[in-house]
Amino acid sequence: MFEVISVNLLFKFLMVLIFGFLTGLELREYLYAKKEPITIGTTRTFTFIAMLGFITNLVSKNMFMVGFFILSLFFIIFYLYKVNKNKRGILQILVAFITYSYGTLVDISIFIIPLMYVAIVFIISSKYKIAKLASTIDNEELLTFAKFLILSVIILPILPKENVIPYVSISPFKIWIAVVVVSTISYVSYILQKYFLASAGIVVTGILGGVYSSTATTVVLAKKAVDSLVEGSIVIATGVMYLRLLAIIAIFNFTLAKELFIPFLSLFLVSFAIFMFLKERGNNVQTEFNSNPLEMEVAFIFAALFIVMAGITEFVTGHFGNLGLQILSTIVGFTDIDPFILSLVQGKYAVSDNDLVQAILIAVASNNILKAIYSGMFSKWQMRKAFWNLLFLAGLTLLWAGWFWSIK
C-alpha cells in the first residue's frame, strides 16, 4: 500500500514540476520576443513556484493558502515596481498564480494541468489575434451575450421540470433548453460568418446561413445581383437547414431523428448537387448578416411561439388527429418552423411517431415554398433557378411525407 501511494505521489510531483517548467519556458519565449525588461523570473522561477504550490498543498490546505498569501504580497511589490517604471501589465502575475495552483489542481484530475498549460500557450501565443478580434467586436454584442449567459445559467436551473403550463405537455425547463440550444447553434454560425469568415464570400454565407436561418439567408441573398452562384448559395442554405434540423431533433428525440435521417440526408445531398451545378456558373461576392440571434427579444419571442405552438398542437391532435396535424403543419411552414418542430419532438400528443415525422416533413416543405416565394419576390422574379429548385426540394420533401403516410 505504501509503495502504491509513493508512486502516485511521485507521479503527481513530476507532473507539477514538468508543467511548471514548461509554463516558465513558454512565458520566457513570449517575454523575450516582446523584449520585456521587467520580469518575475522565467523557467526556473516558475518551476519553483509550481513546486512550492505542490509542497504547501501536500502539508495542508491552510499551508497552501499561506503560500498563496505570501506570493500575493511579493506580486504586489513587483507590480508597484512595474507601475513605477510605467509598466502595468499583469500577465506574468496571472500566469504565476495559475502555476502555483498546479499543486492543488493535480489532486482533482491529472488532465487539468495539461489543459491549463495548453490554454496558457494558446492565449499567450494568440495575443495579437485576440486583441484584433476584441477590437472588432461590438460592445452591444458582448452585452447581449452576457445577458443570454445569465438567463441560461441562472434561470434554467430554477425553471419547473413539471408540466405547469395549461394545455401544454412540455415543462418550462424543456422549453428553455430548446431556446438555448437553437440560439446557441445559430449564434455559433453568426460569429463564424461575421468575425472569422467575413471575407470568405457568398458560398460561406449560404452554408453558415443555413445553420443560422435559411429563411433569413434566402431574403438577404435574393436582394443581391442575379447570379448562378448566389442562387446556388440560396439552395445550399436550405440544404444545410436539413442537417441543422436533424441535429436539433436528435438532441431532443433520437427516435424521430433516426426516422428522418435518410430523408433529410438525401434532401441535403440533392441540394448539394444543385449547388455544385450552379456554382460553376457564377461569381463569388461578399455579404453578411447584421442581426444577432442572441438578442433577448428574439429568445423570448421564440419561447412564446414554442408555448403557443405546443398548445395549438395539443388541441389540434386531441380533437382532429393526424389530419388536423397535417393541415396545421402546412400552415405553420409559412412561419418560423423551429418552435413548431421542437414542440413536436418534445411533447406528448395523441398521434404516432410516424404522424409526427409526416408533420415535420410537411412543415419543412411549406417552408421551402415560402423561401421560393421570397427568392422570387425579393429578386423581382429574376432568380428563377433558386425559385424552381426550392419548389423542387419542397416537392421531394412532400414525397418523403407521402412515403411515411403509405407505410402506416
Side-chain angles (χ1 to χ4, degrees), residues 131-319:
K132 183 179 178 181
L133 176 62
S135 66
T136 61
I137 295 177
D138 187 352
N139 289 335
E140 192 65 30
E141 288 191 8
L142 291 176
L143 182 61
T144 300
F145 181 67
K147 288 179 183 177
F148 188 81
L149 283 180
I150 291 171
L151 288 177
S152 302
V153 175
I154 296 177
I155 290 184
L156 186 61
I158 65 175
L159 288 174
K161 296 184 179 180
E162 298 77 26
N163 301 342
V164 296
I165 304 174
Y167 310 110
V168 176
S169 60
I170 307 172
S171 68
F173 182 82
K174 287 185 176 180
I175 291 172
W176 197 251
I177 280 183
V179 174
V180 171
V181 169
V182 173
S183 298
T184 301
I185 291 173
S186 297
Y187 186 66
V188 170
S189 170
Y190 169 79
I191 289 297
L192 287 173
Q193 200 275 336
K194 185 165 184 178
Y195 294 108
F196 294 94
L197 300 170
S199 61
I202 208 157
V203 173
V204 172
T205 298
I207 294 172
L208 294 179
V211 180
Y212 173 75
S213 168
S214 59
T215 304
T217 303
T218 299
V219 172
V220 170
L221 296 183
K223 295 177 181 179
K224 297 290 178 182
V226 177
D227 184 89
S228 290
L229 183 58
V230 177
E231 297 189 79
S233 298
I234 290 175
V235 174
I236 196 61
T238 292
V240 173
M241 174 205 66
Y242 288 111
L243 299 182
R244 172 181 176 270
L245 288 176
L246 185 62
I248 292 173
I249 293 169
I251 291 172
F252 297 103
N253 192 322
F254 193 70
T255 301
L256 289 183
K258 287 194 295 183
E259 295 292 325
L260 287 164
F261 178 76
I262 293 178
F264 277 4
L265 181 61
S266 64
L267 289 164
F268 164 74
L269 292 175
V270 171
S271 304
F272 183 74
I274 295 171
F275 163 73
M276 292 299 292
F277 176 77
L278 293 176
K279 89 178 187 70
E280 298 299 329
R281 293 160 174 77
N283 299 306
N284 205 4
V285 295
Q286 295 179 18
T287 187
E288 66 175 19
F289 296 101
N290 295 316
S291 176
N292 189 329
L294 287 191
E295 290 176 357
M296 299 319 303
E297 296 84 356
V298 176
F300 284 121
I301 290 172
F302 186 96
L305 286 174
F306 190 112
I307 295 170
V308 171
M309 290 300 176
I312 293 175
T313 305
E314 187 84 30
F315 175 81
V316 169
T317 55
H319 290 78

Side-chain angles (χ1 to χ4, degrees), residues 8 79 96 105 110 115 166 221 248 251 304 360 368-370 390:
N8 184 47
Y79 184 70
L105 291 175
I110 61 172
L115 286 174
L221 296 183
I248 292 173
I251 291 172
I360 292 170
N368 284 352
I369 294 172
L370 173 68
L390 288 172

Side-chain angles (χ1 to χ4, degrees), residues 77-94:
I77 296 171
F78 172 74
Y79 184 70
L80 291 174
Y81 176 76
K82 283 192 68 175
V83 170
N84 190 50
K85 298 292 183 179
N86 294 320
K87 299 284 185 179
R88 299 181 181 277
I90 61 170
L91 176 66
Q92 296 181 64
I93 296 173
L94 293 176

